[in-house]
Each structure stands twice: as C-alpha cells, then as structure tokens.
Amino acid sequence: MRNGGQLLVESLVALGAKKAFGVPGESYLAVLDALHDWQGTLDFVLCRNEGGAAFMAAAWGKLTGEPGLCLVTRGPGVTNASIGVHTAMQDSVPMILLVGQVATDMRGREAFQEIDYRAVFGTMAKWAVEIDDADRIPEILARAWTTATTGRPGPVVIALPEDMLTATTEAAPLLGRAKVSEPAPTAEAVDEALALLAAAERPLMLMAGANWTEAGRGALRGFAEASDIPLVATFRFQDQFDNFSAVFCGEAGVGMPPHVKRLITNADVILAINARFGEMTTDGYTLLSVPMPKQTLIHVHASDREIGKIYRPVLGIQAGPNAFAAALRPVRGGWAGWRAQGRAAWEASFEAPVQPSPVDMVAVMAHLRKVLPDNAILTNGAGNFTVWPNKFFKFGREARLLAPQSGAMGYGLPAAVAAKVACPERVVVCFAGDGDFQMSCQELGTAMQAGAQPIVLILNNGIYGTIRAHQERNDPGRVSGTTMENPDFTMLAKAYGYHAERVERTEDFPAAFERALASRTGAVLDLDISPEALTPRQTLSEIRAAARKAGAGA
Ligand SMILES: Cc1ncc(C[n+]2csc(CCOP(=O)(O)OP(=O)(O)O)c2C)c(N)n1
Ligand SMILES: [Mg+2]
C-alpha cells in the first residue's frame, strides 16, 4: 500500500527521472514527502521562482531530450510557471509540469488557489490532464511521458488533487518507460523526395528540432555533404547541425541575414525536416507564401498535426527526423556554386565593424570562439544582445545553444543552471541583457544551493534595447518606458557567492573571462555596453536618424 504521492514518485523514478525543478507548496506535500525517500535518485532542485523552475525544466528537455520535470503549487505557483510551459511548447521540447490541485470534494467552487488546468493550459500545453484517482497515476504518467517525447515533443501539465495524493492505493508503480520507435518514411516517399531534389536547380534543406540523435545528425550531415545541398537551421536550432560543415549556411531566425532570406526565397525545392514553420523562420510568413509556396516544399515531420498546418507541401512525409535522415541516399546536381555562395555569405556575416562601446562584443565573440571548449553550452533569453550568441558563434558537433523560440526574457539564467545541473563538467555561458537578467536573477540562489553555477555575461546597456530600437523606428526620439536604473550587478552576484567583475574595456575581457573560467563558484561579468551599440551594424542614433528621414513619427 502506498499513497498517491509515493506512487507518483516511484513511477517517475521508474520512468528515468533524475531531477525535478520546483518551488514547494502545501498543495503537494505528499509528493515532497515521497521525494524524501528518493534523494540521490530523483533530486528536487529547489528554485526561487516557479518561472525559473519551469524554464529550467524546459531547458532540461531541450538539452537532454528527456522530459524536464517541474513541481509547483496551484494557482500562484502554476501561473508563475506558465512561462516555461509556453516556452517548451514553442521550442517543441518535452516537459512535464506537476501541479497541486484543490481536493476533489471542493473542486469547481473557486476554492483557494483553484485553477481549471484543462481550460487554462488546454491551448498552451501539448496536453493538460487531472488525475482524479490514485490508481490511475501509473497509466497517466506513462501517457504523459510518451506524449511529451513523441511526435512533436512538448509540455504536459498534470494536476494532482490533494486528496488524490494522500489516498492509499494498491496500484503497482510503473516499472519502466515505453520504448517508442520513430515513424519511418516509406521507401516510395524517400524515392519521391530524392527525385524532387535531383530535379532541383537550387535545393535547400531546413532543419529544426532538439530531438535529433547523434546518429540522426550524422546521417543528415552525411547526406547534405555528399549531395552538396546548402542547409539552414530554423530559429535557434543552429546548434543541431555542425556549423563547421561546408553545407551549413546559417540560421533562419530573428534578424535574419539577407543571404538566408535569399536562400529561402530563391530555392526551387525545400526539404524541411522537423520544422514547424514559425513566424521568425519565415520572416513573418513572407519568404514562403501561405498556403502554397512557390518553392516545391517537401515537409517531413513526425507529427501529422504539423504537415500541412500552414503550408501545403508538394510532398508531406510523416517521419521522425532521425529515421528520415537514416533513409536518405545522396543525390547529385549542378548546385555546388549555389551552396558555396550561401556558405561564403555565412562566413562573411561574422565580419562586423568595431562597435561604439566600451566593451566591443565583436571582439568578445571572436575571443570566445577561440577559447570556449568544443562542448560548451551557450544560453540566452530575449533582447538585442542575443544576436551575439545566436549569430556570432560557431556551434560544432558538441556545442549546444539553449535559447527560447518564445522570445521569453529571463530564460537564459535558469537554462544555464539546468545545463550545469545536467552536465556539471561542461562550461556553460549565459548571455543576459540587463533587463533579461533581472527577470530571473533570483535563480543565482538556486544555482548556488545546487552547486550548479554557470558563467553569466551581463550585456549591460541600461536600456530595454529591443524595445528602444522599435521605439526609435516608430516614434524617433520619444523615449518612453525603456530606460533602466540598474543595481550594481557585481555586488548582487557577490552576495550569492559568485566571482564577479565589472568589465569596462574590451582589452580587459580575455583576462576577466579566464578568471571566470577558473572560478569554482561560478562567475558574473558585468559588461559595459554602450546603448549606441544596439545592433552589430547600426547604432541607436543611426536607427533614429533613418526613421526621421523616412518620416516616422511625424
Ligand atoms: C518576459 C518578457 N517580457 C517582455 C518582453 C518584451 N521584450 C523583448 S526584448 C526586451 C528588452 C530586453 O532588454 P535587455 O535584456 O536589456 O536586452 P537588450 O535589448 O538591451 O540587449 C523586452 C522588454 C519579452 N520578450 N519577454
Ligand atoms: Mg539592455
């Protein structure tokens, strides 16, 4: 005999869960109590805000491919955590959010902190469910795990009524997880796709998703290189393909470089693998027209819900990315020049002028490209600063990028903590804007307690730069709600036990970063960035002047 909380935790252990990120609440005491018996097997990583905890779980899912677990209390806890659910959905990564619920005998009365989870998360999560009967915990957990990890991976929300967790049950815990094989393409579908590519003059591959295996990535690279087809990663998935491969031509994301736009617009055949065609990747659904792109589209996805969702493909193939990549055979055509042009343009995109800033990020990124180990993990939230880790780093086979497709500020630090929890031996560098950092800087405490401190680079320009840029474009000179008064970030970091330094000159960065790498307490480097250095190639004043010239705000 067990209670619901014990059955839940034993089943999670059987599924292979190693860490759960959360903030405690009286609504799920039985789960916390059960975790007491499993310390060292399934650890509770105590977070400071449910937003941070949920970001950590989402990042865990992105990094490991296993559902990131998040435990939060009802009402106020879960509403805080919702940002991570939204992010996991937009990122298509597996996550399971376990949340307390009022007892079943008072449900529906708007009891204390009550939320109708199915209604609130029904459209935000991949699946939202409530477990009414402790006997059904193993069944629903098994389904949640499979739901989170298969097809298009995503977040599952499971509500746990308090009386269900304390009820005793004779149901047996799960003994393990289901092994689910990816859907594989039929031989005819592969032949048809290869025939379409072979007939192309300017083929392009678009790849997406964080659910690639080593073998799948290797097979895709082998195919792309042998066929000499240029490949572009969709928004913030550029770490999934070896950037040092000659076929890699960049990322179709926010602030899309002109050469990537040209590759997508001018391609005559596009093989899109695992992509959901978000707004950023399509430049606001303009690079491919809805619903019939002029490009011949071959859309491969494991989920039947994604194929034809926005674009009617000429050929849709329901297949997992790895199974599909494994089935490919090289095709040959006369497009080597087209590929080489894309590659050269990507290489050239690393050249940028000297920045009008005390610390020049062009130089900082050139330094980081030299000194970071091959398996470094970079993270970021949202802001103009993300251009540096996203567009000025070269991700080799082992490097990883944890960056939110939801554009959620505050993701970078929790993601870095999760990465450090998952891989303590790897170098993890969080890039944070001054605004971005302050969305979740309390998680410095989580990292300190868990012994999972990353290196944090704060790109401190004193403004909500992204919004300021929009402001200058729309209403030049009318600065409103975008200037920040900041605390001394080094003092804040030191209070949490970190090595911390303010860096005010580019030439001081290499030594400061070396000290950060050597620090066993994690490090926060507060970089003095001029608000003028708002984009790599256009200053704040230039944005304003251009907008005035164009008559904006007049
Ligand atoms: C949670 C959240 N709130 C608000 C926004 C809107 N937003 C996008 S970028 C940005 C400013 C980011 O400022 P900062 O982190 O300082 O980076 P900077 O642009 O200055 O480099 C804001 C407010 C958002 N994306 N996410
Ligand atoms: Mg800023």
Side-chain angles (χ1 to χ4, degrees):
M1 291 285 271
R2 299 169 175 78
N3 71 21
Q6 289 162 331
L7 181 60
L8 180 98
V9 170
E10 278 187 56
S11 295
L12 286 172
V13 168
L15 284 164
K18 302 267 183 301
K19 307 280 178 190
F21 302 92
V23 175
E26 72 273 30
S27 61
Y28 69 96
L29 286 175
V31 177
L32 289 167
D33 183 65
L35 282 168
H36 191 268
D37 293 331
W38 291 96
Q39 284 167 27
T41 306
L42 171 52
D43 292 317
F44 184 66
V45 179
L46 182 63
C47 302
R48 299 298 180 267
N49 181 292
E50 291 86 354
F55 276 149
M56 288 181 210
W60 179 278
K62 194 168 207 171
L63 181 63
T64 68
E66 303 272 296
L69 284 191
C70 186
L71 287 171
V72 301
T73 199
R74 55 204 184 189
V78 77
T79 43
N80 270 346
S82 61
I83 193 167
V85 175
H86 181 247
T87 295
M89 193 68 229
Q90 292 234 308
D91 275 345
S92 310
V93 297
M95 168 178 173
I96 296 176
L97 175 67
L98 297 157
V99 49
Q101 173 64 306
V102 301
T104 49
D105 62 347
M106 55 177 77
R107 209 170 31 193
R109 294 179 182 159
E110 198 184 344
F112 182 59
Q113 302 180 333
E114 182 177 357
I115 279 185
D116 178 345
Y117 295 100
R118 287 191 187 89
V120 170
F121 289 98
T123 55
M124 196 192 298
K126 188 174 175 189
W127 186 40
V129 63
E130 196 157 306
I131 307 182
D132 279 344
D133 177 353
D135 291 348
R136 295 189 63 189
I137 287 173
E139 170 202 340
I140 292 172
L141 274 187
R143 178 169 166 191
W145 198 275
T146 307
T147 301
T149 48
T150 58
R152 176 181 164 192
V156 172
V157 177
I158 307 179
L160 309 165
E162 207 176 319
D163 53 335
M164 185 282 294
L165 287 176
T166 52
T168 50
T169 164
E170 288 178 29
L174 288 173
L175 294 177
R177 66 171 75 167
K179 186 173 174 191
V180 183
S181 128
E182 269 184 27
T186 62
E188 295 77 40
V190 174
D191 288 347
E192 214 174 314
L194 295 177
L196 286 169
L197 283 171
E201 281 174 31
R202 293 173 309 280
L204 176 71
M205 289 172 49
L206 269 180
M207 66 103 68
N211 51 341
W212 288 89
T213 61
E214 252 329 286
R217 280 154 50 113
L220 185 72
R221 181 180 163 175
F223 167 77
E225 288 178 351
S227 310
D228 211 11
I229 298 177
L231 180 143
V232 162
T234 70
F235 188 30
R236 294 183 165 162
F237 282 132
Q238 60 267 45
D239 61 324
Q240 297 294 334
F241 196 87
D242 187 349
N243 294 188
F244 294 95
S245 163
V247 297
F248 181 78
C249 294
E251 177 220 7
V254 66
M256 200 183 300
H259 80 273
V260 174
K261 281 188 197 173
R262 277 198 304 274
L263 278 167
I264 298 176
T265 311
N266 297 339
D268 57 351
V269 177
I270 296 180
L271 171 60
I273 306 176
N274 223 11
R276 70 173 174 89
F277 290 107
E279 178 187 343
M280 294 305 172
T281 293
T282 56
D283 200 20
Y285 305 101
T286 61
L287 302 180
L288 299 107
S289 48
V290 181
M292 270 299 296
K294 74 172 177 10
Q295 303 90 331
T296 297
L297 178 64
I298 308 164
H299 191 184
V300 181
H301 206 289
S303 166
D304 60 335
R305 307 287 298 268
E306 295 303 318
I307 298 171
K309 182 170 92 175
I310 303 157
Y311 294 115
R312 205 213 77 177
V314 167
L315 176 62
I317 304 178
Q318 197 185 341
N322 305 293
F324 182 76
L328 290 169
R329 300 180 308 273
V331 282
R332 288 186 215 284
W335 47 66
W338 153 256
R339 192 275 307 153
Q341 219 177 27
R343 178 67 180 176
W346 178 72
E347 289 283 5
S349 72
F350 285 81
E351 283 156 31
V354 170
Q355 300 293 295
S357 173
V359 173
D360 181 337
M361 285 305 293
V362 175
V364 165
M365 292 312 297
H367 181 71
L368 292 178
R369 288 200 298 275
K370 261 192 291 179
V371 302
L372 281 179
D374 291 345
N375 68 351
I377 300 172
L378 277 54
T379 75
N380 63 259
N384 262 41
F385 70 92
T386 61
V387 70
W388 303 113
N390 292 180
K391 299 277 194 294
F392 286 83
F393 194 74
K394 295 182 180 178
F395 294 86
R397 277 180 44 202
E398 294 171 73
R400 291 298 313 271
L401 173 68
L402 300 175
Q405 285 199 32
S406 63
M409 287 173 75
Y411 174 89
L413 178 60
V417 176
K420 257 322 216 194
V421 169
C423 310
E425 71 295 344
R426 284 168 79 167
V427 173
V428 179
V429 182
C430 164
F431 290 73
D434 47 340
D436 180 63
F437 178 68
Q438 290 178 83
M439 286 270 175
S440 51
C441 54
Q442 73 284 343
E443 303 306 331
L444 288 176
T446 303
M448 176 180 67
Q449 186 170 346
Q453 303 98 317
I455 296 172
V456 184
L457 305 179
I458 303 177
L459 283 75
N460 187 351
N461 59 6
I463 55 173
Y464 287 114
T466 300
I467 313 308
R468 177 71 184 274
H470 284 299
Q471 220 159 47
E472 295 289 359
R473 276 186 212 111
N474 285 294
D475 312 293
R478 291 174 60 82
V479 178
S480 174
T482 50
T483 307
M484 262 178 292
E485 203 166 301
N486 287 326
D488 181 332
F489 291 124
T490 62
M491 280 174 68
L492 181 77
K494 281 177 186 163
Y496 283 104
Y498 287 70
H499 171 77
E501 291 185 45
R502 167 98 173 147
V503 182
E504 293 180 329
R505 301 184 316 170
T506 308
E507 57 266 40
D508 294 338
F509 180 79
F513 192 72
E514 204 174 310
R515 288 188 289 274
L517 275 175
S519 163
R520 279 183 292 114
T521 60
V524 173
L525 299 182
D526 176 23
L527 310 183
D528 187 354
I529 307 288
S530 165
E532 276 297 323
L534 204 51
T535 77
R537 294 177 186 88
Q538 201 181 24
T539 66
L540 183 63
S541 302
E542 284 165 1
I543 293 173
R544 182 188 302 160
R548 285 206 166 122
K549 205 165 157 210

